[in-house]
Amino acid sequence: MLDGSDPFVRFKNVQKSYDGETLVVKNLNLEIEAGEFVTMLGPSGSGKTTCLMMLAGFETATHGEIELGGKPINNIPPHKRGIGMVFQNYALFPHMTVAENLTFPLKVRNMSAGDIQDKVNRALDMVQMRAFADRKPAQLSGGQQQRIALARALVFEPELVLMDEPLGALDKQLREHMQYEIKHIHENLGVTVVYVTHDQSEALTMSNRIAVFDDGVIQQLDAPVALYEKPENSFVAQFIGENNTLSGKVDSLTKGVAAVTLDSGDKVKALAVNTDAKGSRTSLSIRPERCIVSQKKTAGLSALKGRIEELIYLGDHIRCRMTVAGNNEFIVKVPNTADQLGLEIGAESYVSWQTDDCRALDFKES
Amino acid sequence: MDVSQPITAADGTPLKKKLAQAMFRSKLRATGLVVPLLAFVLASFVFPILALMWQGIHNDTFARLMPNLTEELRVWDGVSDPTEEMYALLVADLRQNRADKTIGKVASRVNQELAGTRSLFTSTARKAKKLEPPFKEALIKTKKKWGDIKVWQAMKLTNQSLTPGFYATSLDARYTVDQGFVMKEEKRQIYTKLFVRTLMISGSVMLLCLLLGYPVAYLLATLPLKYSNLLMIMVLLPFWTSLLVRTTAWIAILQSQGVVNDLLVWIGITGDESRFSLIYNMTGTIIAMTHILLPFMILPLYSVMKTIPPSYMRAARSLGATPTAAFIKVYMPQTVPGIGAGGLLVFILAIGYYITPALVGGQDGQLISNMIAYHMQKSLNWSLAAALGGLLLLGVLVLYWAYDRIIGIDNMKLG
């Protein structure tokens, strides 16, 4: 089926419109390798679920091609695609017991009774739900239903499993627990998973790669580390994790470093990632934990003067809100170390950072 | 915690008592709100129904209006020849009824038991004043029939106020003095046939409503809002039209010179001489009733289908089921509460249907309710009407019980 050169799943110039006037998905290109765990992450209405539904076959692409295992699947109906799917509300059939739910995909494939029993038991063992085989879904808790939904999507051994915000209805603790469980199942079975969520920590925990969606376009497709450490545009920088933004104008570009004059008049240097030439507007992005608050300027770092507005003690670190270069929402995470800095509200101090940690990105009104 | 000791409130009174005291006022208020409706329902619905049901097994017309004869008839064995004394008491009662102008009631009552005795009573009563003892001979001389033991047996039966006779008649049997219950001969059986026909027509109407209503309800539940609203108005439109208007519209459409037949002749499916008789028979009843009862099937179905998220069908298809298999194995079982509710509603409404079969049913499209109406309005045999109605009610209750056993009343969703 795979000749090694083709990716397992491929979206080729896919567009989708519901009303013929606006595009929900704009020219999507995405390649997913076999065995990968890829998450589509984005705010609601960003087109991520539409992409998933097109892959599952419940929506048709308005333009472009979707390939699975090297073959175009645009005209293959959902039941012939052999893709497992976990739904947001689990969609367990309420009139069937847990075992009957799991039997369903095997029966429609006309498997023998012995094989069916085998596979159902194995799937139930995988999610540690063997004891609940004869219950109705309504008699299970949310977490248990979630496991059954997972087992049902995997019981017929599909090579690709789609998950549409499967943990959205669970409480925080259970959600985190299930994240690890899904991650482990993925690692053990080696199936390809395409996962949709709007929860970034979920995406960061589980994925090999994350596609950040906004406005029907993949803003960045990268491993979790790269996504957080090296956002390529302002949307990704702001959507993933916490982020401080300063706006300014590029004065000059030399060897990938931009000299920027901030709106407040201060001059700083930043890593030019996504800026146009001299004279264009830019948004600088700095992570709160990459900033240092100090009484004096530190040699080799960019520094700006700021005023401490608010201090919140969070145990392992102190969250310090400052006014820096006209931005009064500038956050610095100060580690809770033995030598206390003597931070005080209203005090003036310097905020400094490495030039590489300050990324000059496309300008975005904040 | 010590379980044996009842829990007490802070002031030492048992907690249950304290709770009852605290809830008393709110319970009182809740009851007060219900009282007017409860009184109305009791006075205008429950009491009349019970009274009528009572009439089905109790009719004291004869015993009340023939006070002299009643005691003698009760002790009479019903086989031996009536005595001279009984004849004498009969004449006394006939004279009294003639004077009170109540002889018609007595005559009708006995006539219900033995056809053809009405005039025997009325004409004899007219002459009763002039009769002289011995009354046995005098009466038999006036009307030969007075010597017939059957007349006396009929009187003995009608004299019995608490009687199973009307229920026996409703089931095409006769309650006799000497033989107990006897089935009537085949060609005189009308009510059982009518009951069977009522059940059959109601069943067909229910099935037709289900077949026609299911797709419509599915469309209603799945179409986008702007279309489903329009469709909903079309479903409800018949509701807002008078029942009579709808029924007479069917007469215009289905009659032999009507729209449907004209169309069929024009297309050439049938000749001008051999037009289909679509109305004034069972076909007409079924067509018109199906149309009228359709919303009662669609609405419960729709309310159930609306709660079924589309993700179930999607899940079934993603698991490998063809659209048809997904629909039959996943979607349809979830609509069973709606099918049950709609079916039961349509069936129960159908077996009591009256106006439509009366207008479009002709001879073989009549239902049991039309017979009940006949006995209420024409033959004035209210007791028989009550017995027929009682049987109909019993049928509904049995159905309801069966439904509860098979599907479960909790599973029913009406909206």
Side-chain angles (χ1 to χ4, degrees):
Chain A
M1 191 157 119
L2 285 176
D3 61 8
S5 64
D6 274 330
F8 186 47
V9 176
R10 176 191 271 160
F11 286 86
K12 227 156 70 184
N13 305 325
V14 171
Q15 293 183 317
K16 174 69 183 176
S17 172
Y18 286 108
D19 54 5
E21 285 166 12
T22 51
L23 283 169
V24 184
V25 175
K26 298 169 187 165
N27 200 28
L28 177 82
N29 286 291
L30 175 62
E31 296 185 353
I32 298 169
E33 298 300 328
E36 250 192 319
F37 194 125
V38 172
T39 299
M40 297 178 173
L41 175 67
S44 55
S46 59
K48 57 189 192 309
T49 302
T50 305
C51 283
L52 195 76
M53 289 303 170
M54 285 194 286
L55 186 50
F58 298 124
E59 300 287 355
T60 49
T62 314
H63 174 80
E65 233 165 53
I66 302 170
E67 289 175 9
L68 178 64
K71 286 175 198 136
I73 54 169
N74 289 39
N75 293 321
I76 298 178
H79 61 277
K80 288 188 181 151
R81 293 191 183 190
I83 299 175
M85 187 150 182
V86 182
F87 291 83
Q88 197 166 8
N89 58 359
Y90 318 136
L92 295 175
F93 307 138
H95 58 290
M96 299 183 189
T97 64
V98 165
E100 285 166 345
N101 262 286
L102 263 67
T103 313
F104 185 84
L106 306 176
K107 264 200 181 144
V108 296
R109 286 178 170 73
N110 293 320
M111 288 193 187
S112 71
D115 279 0
I116 289 179
Q117 196 55 47
D118 253 24
K119 285 185 191 227
V120 167
N121 286 342
R122 226 180 307 147
L124 282 174
D125 285 341
M126 183 180 68
V127 292
Q128 294 127 43
M129 291 290 289
R130 186 80 169 265
F132 297 87
D134 295 325
R135 300 249 190 118
K136 287 273 175 76
Q139 296 167 303
L140 302 177
S141 72
Q144 290 168 334
Q145 290 186 31
Q146 176 55 58
R147 283 155 192 252
I148 298 303
L150 200 59
R152 190 179 64 177
L154 292 166
V155 72
F156 61 99
E157 289 158 14
E159 288 177 74
L160 175 62
V161 177
L162 312 181
M163 303 192 189
D164 183 14
E165 308 209 15
L167 306 180
L170 303 181
D171 59 59
K172 191 169 177 288
Q173 219 173 352
L174 197 55
R175 194 157 64 220
E176 281 168 5
H177 178 76
M178 286 304 296
Q179 286 171 14
Y180 295 118
E181 209 154 306
I182 292 175
K183 192 177 160 74
H184 293 151
I185 287 173
H186 166 248
E187 282 162 4
N188 292 339
L189 298 181
V191 291
T192 312
V193 177
V194 179
Y195 192 99
V196 161
T197 183
H198 61 263
D199 181 341
Q200 43 150 314
S201 75
E202 211 168 283
L204 292 173
T205 306
M206 297 194 285
S207 319
N208 298 127
R209 286 195 297 160
I210 299 172
V212 180
F213 274 74
D214 185 46
D215 201 20
V217 175
I218 294 184
Q219 302 287 338
Q220 189 171 347
L221 172 64
D222 240 322
V225 176
L227 214 55
Y228 187 81
E229 303 285 343
K230 291 173 182 148
E232 272 164 15
N233 58 41
S234 295
F235 176 81
V236 177
Q238 279 174 28
F239 191 74
I240 309 276
E242 224 174 347
N243 181 57
N244 292 310
T245 307
L246 298 170
S247 336
K249 197 190 264 179
V250 178
D251 284 338
S252 66
L253 273 174
T254 41
K255 290 180 188 166
V257 175
V260 177
T261 305
L262 299 180
D263 292 351
S264 60
D266 299 299
K267 286 180 189 296
V268 290
K269 285 191 169 159
L271 191 69
V273 179
N274 189 0
T275 49
D276 293 333
K278 189 178 160 183
S280 62
R281 304 266 305 151
T282 181
S283 286
L284 303 184
S285 151
I286 312 139
R287 295 289 182 198
E289 67 275 14
R290 294 297 168 89
C291 298
I292 298 165
V293 181
S294 56
Q295 299 298 333
K296 284 180 266 175
K297 280 192 183 183
T298 315
L301 300 182
S302 302
L304 284 176
K305 223 163 175 146
R307 209 167 75 94
I308 299 175
E309 303 287 351
E310 198 177 14
L311 290 167
I312 298 169
Y313 179 76
L314 287 168
D316 59 337
H317 72 270
I318 295 159
R319 200 179 153 84
C320 176
R321 183 167 68 84
M322 304 178 73
T323 303
V324 174
N327 177 359
N328 61 1
E329 291 289 340
F330 199 97
I331 306 292
V332 180
K333 287 180 181 170
V334 184
N336 188 357
T337 46
D339 51 329
Q340 284 297 335
L341 294 161
L343 299 172
E344 255 177 81
I345 291 172
E348 300 274 337
S349 38
Y350 282 100
V351 183
S352 35
W353 56 78
Q354 303 256 355
T355 302
D356 281 359
D357 289 333
C358 178
R359 298 168 71 82
L361 305 171
D362 54 317
F363 179 70
K364 201 174 174 200
E365 211 67 55
S366 54
Chain B
M1 202 167 66
D2 190 3
V3 186
S4 62
Q5 206 67 22
I7 306 167
T8 56
D11 61 357
T13 48
L15 196 60
K16 275 199 171 162
K17 198 172 156 195
K18 196 78 182 166
L19 183 69
Q21 283 171 359
M23 300 296 287
F24 179 72
R25 280 186 72 86
S26 65
K27 272 186 187 166
L28 196 70
R29 190 168 14 192
T31 316
L33 288 171
V34 178
V35 161
L37 180 64
L38 191 67
F40 176 77
V41 167
L42 277 178
S44 66
F45 190 69
V46 177
F47 175 71
I49 283 184
L50 288 179
L52 199 69
M53 288 289 111
W54 176 237
Q55 280 208 9
I57 51 168
H58 181 266
N59 190 325
D60 62 354
T61 314
F62 191 87
R64 193 161 36 83
L65 296 174
M66 306 283 272
N68 299 307
L69 186 60
T70 180
E71 191 55 40
E72 278 301 311
L73 269 178
R74 203 184 343 264
V75 295
W76 176 52
D77 62 2
V79 193
S80 58
D81 276 347
T83 58
E84 166 65 19
E85 195 196 350
M86 287 163 77
Y87 281 98
L89 291 171
L90 173 64
V91 171
D93 277 334
L94 287 176
R95 282 176 182 160
Q96 188 58 44
N97 275 308
R98 168 82 178 146
D100 295 345
K101 296 198 168 76
T102 48
I103 185 62
K105 287 184 185 172
V106 178
S108 307
R109 176 68 188 95
V110 181
N111 194 56
Q112 287 165 7
E113 207 59 55
L114 184 66
T117 48
R118 168 180 279 277
S119 62
L120 177 68
F121 277 82
T122 46
S123 67
T124 314
R126 264 199 301 278
K127 299 167 191 158
K129 222 173 180 178
K130 295 173 197 154
L131 289 176
E132 283 176 19
F135 289 113
K136 187 172 181 177
E137 277 161 40
L139 273 171
I140 292 174
K141 206 175 147 195
T142 326
K143 286 273 178 183
K144 223 176 168 179
K145 253 187 173 169
W146 284 118
D148 190 349
I149 189 106
K150 277 191 182 147
V151 175
W152 284 91
Q153 285 176 340
M155 281 200 287
K156 182 171 168 64
L157 283 175
T158 48
N159 183 42
Q160 196 180 328
S161 294
L162 208 57
T163 170
F166 298 111
Y167 273 91
T169 312
S170 303
L171 292 168
D172 286 327
R174 243 165 359 103
Y175 179 62
T176 60
V177 177
D178 38 357
Q179 293 162 288
F181 295 99
V182 179
M183 280 309 284
K184 283 182 184 164
E185 55 212 285
E186 183 84 30
K187 63 177 181 185
R188 304 194 69 179
Q189 293 184 359
I190 41 172
Y191 299 114
T192 42
K193 278 180 194 157
L194 215 51
F195 272 117
V196 170
R197 186 200 289 165
T198 304
L199 293 180
M200 259 179 48
I201 289 185
S202 301
S204 326
V205 168
M206 181 184 77
L207 283 179
L208 276 172
C209 280
L210 183 62
L211 284 178
L212 295 172
Y214 200 93
V216 177
Y218 182 75
L219 268 184
L220 267 176
T222 49
L223 276 182
L225 202 62
K226 58 176 174 178
Y227 300 113
S228 69
N229 272 345
L230 190 70
L231 192 60
M232 186 57 127
I233 289 173
M234 280 157 68
V235 168
L236 289 176
L237 205 59
F239 258 166
W240 303 333
T241 320
S242 152
L243 184 68
L244 273 172
V245 172
R246 276 182 282 164
T247 308
T248 39
W250 276 115
I251 297 177
I253 292 169
L254 295 177
Q255 63 189 340
S256 60
Q257 300 300 321
V259 182
V260 172
N261 266 314
D262 281 351
L263 204 65
L264 290 178
V265 170
W266 184 66
I267 296 172
I269 291 180
T270 179
D272 202 15
E273 322 75 42
S274 57
R275 285 167 176 254
F276 292 110
S277 42
L278 299 170
I279 202 161
Y280 305 124
N281 55 21
M282 204 189 283
T283 318
T285 302
I286 291 178
I287 291 176
M289 277 175 67
T290 301
H291 170 241
I292 287 161
L293 292 174
L294 201 52
F296 293 98
M297 180 64 90
I298 292 176
L299 293 177
L301 277 176
Y302 164 70
S303 82
V304 168
M305 287 177 175
K306 233 180 91 131
T307 62
I308 302 173
S311 60
Y312 287 126
M313 280 287 275
R314 287 183 165 183
R317 297 198 59 197
S318 82
L319 293 172
T322 60
T324 323
F327 189 82
I328 292 171
K329 289 193 180 136
V330 172
Y331 195 83
M332 288 218 318
Q334 295 189 61
T335 60
V336 164
I339 296 176
L344 199 65
L345 197 62
V346 167
F347 193 83
I348 288 176
L349 284 172
I351 59 176
Y353 235 63
Y354 161 63
I355 298 179
T356 305
L359 287 176
V360 303
Q363 256 311 310
D364 63 342
Q366 297 293 302
L367 302 185
I368 197 69
S369 51
N370 301 105
M371 193 48 100
I372 295 175
Y374 167 78
H375 284 303
M376 289 294 286
Q377 296 163 346
K378 296 272 166 55
S379 82
L380 298 181
N381 191 350
W382 283 24
S383 289
L384 183 56
L388 288 168
L391 282 177
L392 202 56
L393 183 64
L394 191 74
V396 171
L397 290 179
V398 166
L399 253 167
Y400 195 75
W401 172 82
Y403 179 88
D404 189 31
R405 290 298 300 269
I406 298 166
I407 301 178
I409 254 23
D410 303 341
N411 273 332
M412 185 156 78
K413 262 193 177 164
L414 282 178

